[in-house]
Structures are given as C-alpha cells and as structure tokens.
Amino acid sequence: MDARFIGIDLGNTNQTIALADASGNLLRIERRVTEPGGTAPAILEGVLDAVETLLAGQSARDAGVRAVGVGFGGPVDMPTGTVRLSHQVPGWEDVPLKALLEERFAVPARVDNDANVGTLGELRFGAGQGLQDIVYINIGTGIGGGLVFAGRLHRGVSTAAGEIGHTIVLPGGPLCSCGHRGCLEALCSGTAIGRRARDLAEGDPALGARLLTLAGGDPERITAKTAFRAAEEGDPGGRRVLNETVEYLAIAIGNLLNLLNPQAIILGGGVSEAGDLLFVPLRERTRDYCMEPPYAAARILPAQLGYDAGVRGAVALAMEG
Amino acid sequence: MDARFIGIDLGNTNQTIALADASGNLLRIERRVTEPGGTAPAILEGVLDAVETLLAGQSARDAGVRAVGVGFGGPVDMPTGTVRLSHQVPGWEDVPLKALLEERFAVPARVDNDANVGTLGELRFGAGQGLQDIVYINIGTGIGGGLVFAGRLHRGVSTAAGEIGHTIVLPGGPLCSCGHRGCLEALCSGTAIGRRARDLAEGDPALGARLLTLAGGDPERITAKTAFRAAEEGDPGGRRVLNETVEYLAIAIGNLLNLLNPQAIILGGGVSEAGDLLFVPLRERTRDYCMEPPYAAARILPAQLGYDAGVRGAVALAMEG
C-alpha cells in the first residue's frame, strides 16, 4: 500500500487538513473555519471530523497513513506534543494534542508551532529544497521563524528557538506584544507596518495624503498593503514606510547572516508577497548591515508555497520522524 | 602507545604550543612571543620549531601524535585549513597552514579561527562540559564567538558563522572596525569599553574624576579595567560605563536566547574576568530583553579555561575529527 501522511494546519481562525502521498503531494483537502467565539474543543472536534472525512471510513492504518503532522498557531512543547496555549483562542492550555491524535488514529503524531512547520514545508517542498542551512521568516500579522542546520530543524533546548520576531533591532523602539520594545515584530509585521503607515498619515497629512486616499479616506483602513501599493506608485509617503521596513529587516537579516552564515534566508507570509518592491532594496541594504563573506554566501528568497504552506509543512513534519 | 595531540594557539603576538594526552591534559608547553614587526614566515618558523622541541627528536607518529589542531587569530577557510589573512600581521594571505603542517609532520591537521577553537575548548574541557547547545562569546580587544548545536560546532556554509561581535545592537551607533555602525564589538569589546570611559571622562569631568585619578591623571590610560575598578568602588562614572556595557550585552544575549534557545551562554576573554560585578546585573537585564522560556532554559556562565583556553581549544580541535 502506498504510504500516506496527514497534515493539519491548525490556525486560530482557519484549519486546513490534507491527505498527502509520500512525495508530499496533497491528494485531498478539507478546510474548516472557526466561528468568532469558537473554543478549543470545538476547533479540535472540527479537525478530527475533517480527518475522518479524509479517511472515508477506513482506519488510518488501513488507509496507509504512516503519521500525522500538526502545525499549531501558538507555542507547543514539541517532544510531548502538548500545546502550551493559544494567544487568541481560550481553552488550549496544556492540551496533549499529540496524545489525543495518537489515541484516536493509532498512528504516530507530531505537533509543532506553525513557524517551525512552515520552515519544514519550505525546506522539503518550497524555496529551501536541496538546501541544508536556512533561516525562514514568516511575516504576517506577527513574525515567526525557524532555523535549519545540517538539514534538520533547530528547535533549541526547550523547543523555543526561532523567535526571530522578538529579537530586538531598535532598542527603545515601539512596544511589542511580548512586552519588550523594538522587537522586529513591533516594526515589520503586517500589523506594525500598517500602524507606522497610519502614524505617518496622521502625523504628516501632506506626506500621508496618498495613503489616506487609497484607504478610502478612513485612516483606520490604512494597512501594510496600502503602504506598499502607494510605494509601488512612487508615492513619497508609501516609500518612506517601505524604506523603514527594509532598513529594520536588513538589520535583522544582516545579524542572522553574520551569526549563522546560512545558504538562504526565506521570507514567507503576506508581507513577502510584495515581491521585487521589497526584495530588491532588501538585498541591497542587507549588504550594508553584514560582513561580506556571509552576505556573499546567502540568497534572500521569497517563500514558494503560498496559501497552503501551513498544511504542506504539517505533511513535512509528519514525514520527519 | 598512548594517543597524543598537539594544540597550537597561533596568535598575532603570542603563540602557545602544547602536547596533550587523550583527556586533553597538557603534558608539555612551549611559548613563543613575536617581536614587533614580525612577519608570517618568522612566526610560522617559530611554531614549527616549538613542535619539534615538543617531539624531542621523534617523528609525530612515533610520539603517538594522532592530529594537530590550530587556532589562528584571524579568518580561516576551515575545510581547506587555509588562512585567509591576519588583520595585524602581514604575509598570512592564503597560507595553506593545514597542508604545510600535514606535510611537515605527516599526521592530520585541522585549522580554525581562534573564536571557534575557544568555543571547542570550553565545550570539551571548560564551562560547557556535558552540554550540547551553547554560545561562546570571547570579549577581548575584539569580540568573537562560536555556536554549538547538538554537540557540534556550527561553522556555517562558508565557515564564517559566529560573528556575534558584528551583530548590530545599536543601529547608527559607534563606527566598528568592520566598517558598520553599532556592532556589539564597537560597544562592548575591551577597546570599546575603554573608549566609552575616556569619552565620559573628557565629556563630563565631574562624573569622570575617579576614572582619571585611577589612570594616574592621564586620560589616555583609562581602560575597561579602570572603569570596572571604579564601578566596583561604587563610583558613579564607573557604574555608568558598566551599566551601558551590561545593557548592550543584555540585548545581544537576549537576542541569542530568543533565536537559538541554547543551554548556556559562556563568556570568556578579559572583560568576562570582571566576575559578579558584570554577571549579576547581566543575568538580570537579559531577562528584560528576552522571552521567558528561552531565558529560563539558559545559564549565563563565565568561561573556565582562562589563559590557556586557546591552546586547550586547539587540542579539542585536533580531537574533533
């Protein structure tokens, strides 16, 4: 029987569950959306139901499933596969997700946080294919990351490694959700870029005029996308926001290159979809924040997996054992 | 015959060459000092002569020597063991040191930069014994570092990893020898601490009075040691310099913990000899620059090997194969 793997991208709002073959191709996909106010038990029940749907009445073993992988949208104790908590949804405190899945489906399960799982996805099936030493940075509403050394994910001694979003790039800078100041996430997440753009529009109405127009006149609707669209048009306000974003990212990436000397830095998530508008100046500025040998050795690449990165990473995690 | 290893600490001024047993104990030591104006060929000849002295007329193989390890005070292409250059002494450009040693002594030789070699020494024989994931930071006239993951040194794809001294902790900060601004080395090396202390004494004579007195009235003689001694007495000027040092180091170490989640950060070199005066506030401030799980998992420790760290690391490198 052909080997199969189940991948589960367990986000706080969207859950994607897929059955994959041994090459990581997604054969069937189930999607679930959590209603506002949804709790952990309801989300979990939806996910388990989706897996049953994929198995179509067979046991996991009879369907050829070798393992289940889960990428969870919050911190996980990886060796035990216990969810620590979700910052968005109540009821995930200390949920033994790996044990629950193994009991229900009688195959091995692996659970890790979504940043590590996204890293594995790009490594096995995306921009990192064939590479051994990469750093993955996901720039969405927050900033997560993962490290791969010698072809293996580096999770750290208490599986808390990869918090690239909470490395400090501007001491005394804006307050971050983690309670510290000047973290990369507080400057360059989609949320933070949007906030900087709104601050610009409010603090300097002339410079921010185009941002406001693109947002239909409502400053609250100015987002990172607004700023990048304005920058693409050549608007000085949009370019200011973009240039600052590039500077902070270049410092963080330059530090990563000097420290780790990887083959590639792979940027995923919504912000990285800005393409050349972001990547061209970012590669140039990173050179100015980094020594030559590690700069010359590394490429700064967009992620390749796009929307299904999470579930494909979960499949890669299932295959990792 | 008992296995023997030769370690060579090949600094620009001092060279230490030792014969060690299979436990890393130094059995015999030769020391050489380079006269000012010394060149690469002269230094190399002195080192080779010291090895011959240790071998006492025997061939390396007959003396039981299994391998030679060298820690070089400058960048090295590790796989080929070729010295790239020395920033202090002319004539080291592209010297194939590994090949020269293997030809002369007919045993395997390994050559790496002194920061990586110092890391291996602490890992095998010092504060890192029994640990698998550590970061070593050597704070001397410059700042070097090394990374150990899963018990192995992480050298990076072009063996340029570990440049902790050139990660940027204060964008726009003081100019560094590498040409960038705000690197950790430009703020916290012994040289940089001394410069900050001199700037303080010149810019604020009242606050810097004690620093000047301790330096015999000559501002040019104010060093990092002067500042730390004044801080230990409770002098406000000395404490200012110490506190700034602690802040910058805490940012850099907090970033390392968030990123790598190691078991320990080990600080070596002259500055770390300040002991509790430095380590007690540093541990406290690092907590404020880092997330709780990686902070709780890591210890911030002084290096243990002291003066012979370099040559003992070179012995550890010889044993690494």
Side-chain angles (χ1 to χ4, degrees):
Chain A
M1 179 175 308
D2 292 338
R4 296 287 181 261
F5 295 88
I6 288 176
I8 302 173
D9 179 19
L10 210 166
N12 289 294
T13 308
N14 296 286
Q15 297 87 42
T16 308
I17 303 92
L19 185 71
D21 67 18
S23 303
N25 300 308
L26 304 189
L27 305 174
R28 289 201 294 280
I29 300 182
E30 289 286 316
R31 299 187 196 275
R32 297 288 185 274
V33 178
T34 303
E35 306 297 320
T39 60
I43 294 174
L44 186 56
E45 205 40 60
V47 166
L48 296 174
D49 172 73
V51 176
E52 298 287 7
T53 303
L54 291 177
L55 294 174
Q58 285 187 297
S59 75
R61 205 170 289 273
D62 288 347
V65 173
R66 302 289 172 85
V68 177
V70 183
F72 183 80
V76 173
D77 181 65
M78 199 277 162
T80 64
T82 303
V83 171
R84 286 176 176 142
L85 79 163
S86 157
H87 292 289
Q88 275 87 40
V89 174
W92 280 113
E93 292 76 11
D94 301 320
V95 171
L97 192 50
K98 171 183 161 74
L100 289 172
L101 290 165
E102 290 184 343
E103 192 175 341
R104 174 79 167 248
F105 299 110
V107 293
R110 294 180 192 92
V111 184
D112 205 342
N113 70 67
D114 52 2
N116 279 346
V117 165
T119 306
L120 282 177
E122 289 295 328
L123 178 71
R124 302 271 180 251
F125 308 125
Q129 281 180 86
L131 302 182
Q132 298 288 310
D133 288 84
I134 65 169
V135 178
Y136 174 71
I137 309 178
N138 188 285
I139 312 179
T141 53
I143 295 185
L147 312 171
V148 174
F149 304 133
R152 305 283 299 174
L153 200 62
H154 174 81
R155 293 186 170 91
V157 64
S158 54
T159 66
E163 289 288 6
I164 294 163
H166 298 288
T167 57
I168 292 169
V169 294
L170 188 68
L175 192 63
C176 184
S177 63
C178 74
H180 300 139
R181 289 191 170 276
C183 297
L184 183 64
E185 177 167 305
L187 294 158
C188 291
S189 68
T191 319
I193 297 168
R195 182 184 42 68
R196 284 196 284 106
R198 285 192 295 281
D199 288 352
L200 177 76
E202 285 169 11
D204 190 336
L207 196 57
R210 183 65 188 152
L211 294 171
L212 194 58
T213 303
L214 286 172
D218 179 359
E220 288 307 306
R221 290 178 54 203
I222 295 174
T223 65
K225 275 197 176 142
T226 318
F228 283 17
R229 191 173 148 199
E232 196 149 32
E233 294 174 356
D235 169 63
R239 295 214 70 86
R240 167 87 63 91
V241 175
L242 173 66
N243 289 345
E244 288 173 358
T245 305
V246 166
E247 288 301 306
Y248 299 131
L249 281 174
I251 292 170
I253 293 173
N255 284 349
L256 288 168
L257 297 184
N258 278 341
L259 191 64
L260 301 173
N261 188 203
Q263 292 166 295
I265 303 276
I266 297 172
L267 301 187
V271 170
S272 69
E273 288 166 17
D276 282 354
L277 182 73
L278 176 68
F279 279 84
V280 170
L282 182 58
R283 292 186 184 110
E284 186 182 311
R285 294 300 296 148
T286 297
R287 180 191 287 266
D288 287 338
Y289 285 120
C290 156
M291 304 178 86
E292 187 58 30
Y295 178 82
R299 289 174 295 159
I300 301 174
L301 301 171
Q304 290 181 352
L305 296 187
Y307 188 75
D308 281 326
V311 71
R312 298 197 67 191
V315 169
L317 179 67
M319 293 175 168
E320 212 197 13
Chain B
M1 180 176 306
D2 292 338
R4 296 286 181 261
F5 296 88
I6 287 175
I8 302 174
D9 179 20
L10 210 166
N12 290 295
T13 310
N14 296 285
Q15 299 88 40
T16 308
I17 303 93
L19 185 72
D21 66 19
S23 303
N25 299 307
L26 304 188
L27 305 173
R28 289 201 296 278
I29 301 181
E30 288 286 316
R31 299 187 195 276
R32 298 287 184 275
V33 178
T34 303
E35 305 298 319
T39 61
I43 294 174
L44 185 57
E45 205 40 61
V47 166
L48 296 174
D49 171 72
V51 176
E52 298 287 6
T53 303
L54 291 176
L55 294 174
Q58 285 187 296
S59 75
R61 206 169 288 275
D62 288 346
V65 173
R66 302 288 172 87
V68 177
V70 183
F72 182 80
V76 173
D77 181 65
M78 200 275 162
T80 63
T82 304
V83 171
R84 286 176 176 144
L85 79 164
S86 158
H87 292 289
Q88 273 86 40
V89 175
W92 279 113
E93 293 75 12
D94 301 320
V95 171
L97 192 50
K98 171 183 160 76
L100 289 172
L101 291 165
E102 290 184 343
E103 191 176 340
R104 174 80 167 248
F105 299 110
V107 294
R110 294 180 191 91
V111 184
D112 205 343
N113 70 66
D114 52 2
N116 279 346
V117 165
T119 305
L120 282 177
E122 288 296 327
L123 178 71
R124 302 271 180 251
F125 308 125
Q129 281 180 86
L131 302 181
Q132 297 290 310
D133 288 83
I134 65 169
V135 178
Y136 173 72
I137 309 177
N138 189 286
I139 313 179
T141 52
I143 295 185
L147 313 170
V148 174
F149 305 134
R152 305 283 299 176
L153 200 63
H154 173 81
R155 293 186 170 92
V157 64
S158 54
T159 65
E163 288 287 6
I164 294 163
H166 299 288
T167 58
I168 291 169
V169 295
L170 188 68
L175 192 63
C176 185
S177 62
C178 74
H180 301 139
R181 288 192 170 276
C183 297
L184 183 64
E185 176 167 304
L187 293 158
C188 292
S189 68
T191 317
I193 297 168
R195 182 184 41 68
R196 284 196 284 106
R198 284 192 296 281
D199 288 351
L200 176 76
E202 284 169 12
D204 189 336
L207 196 57
R210 182 65 188 150
L211 293 171
L212 193 58
T213 303
L214 286 173
D218 178 0
E220 289 306 308
R221 290 179 55 202
I222 296 175
T223 65
K225 275 197 176 141
T226 318
F228 283 18
R229 191 172 149 200
E232 195 151 33
E233 293 174 355
D235 169 63
R239 295 214 70 85
R240 167 86 63 91
V241 175
L242 173 66
N243 289 345
E244 288 173 357
T245 305
V246 165
E247 289 301 307
Y248 300 130
L249 280 174
I251 292 170
I253 293 173
N255 284 350
L256 289 168
L257 296 185
N258 278 341
L259 191 65
L260 301 174
N261 188 203
Q263 293 167 294
I265 303 277
I266 298 172
L267 301 186
V271 170
S272 70
E273 288 168 16
D276 282 355
L277 181 74
L278 175 69
F279 279 84
V280 170
L282 181 58
R283 292 186 184 112
E284 186 183 315
R285 294 300 296 149
T286 298
R287 179 190 289 266
D288 287 338
Y289 286 119
C290 154
M291 304 179 85
E292 188 58 31
Y295 178 82
R299 289 175 293 158
I300 301 173
L301 302 170
Q304 290 181 353
L305 296 186
Y307 187 75
D308 280 325
V311 71
R312 298 197 67 191
V315 169
L317 178 67
M319 292 176 169
E320 212 197 13

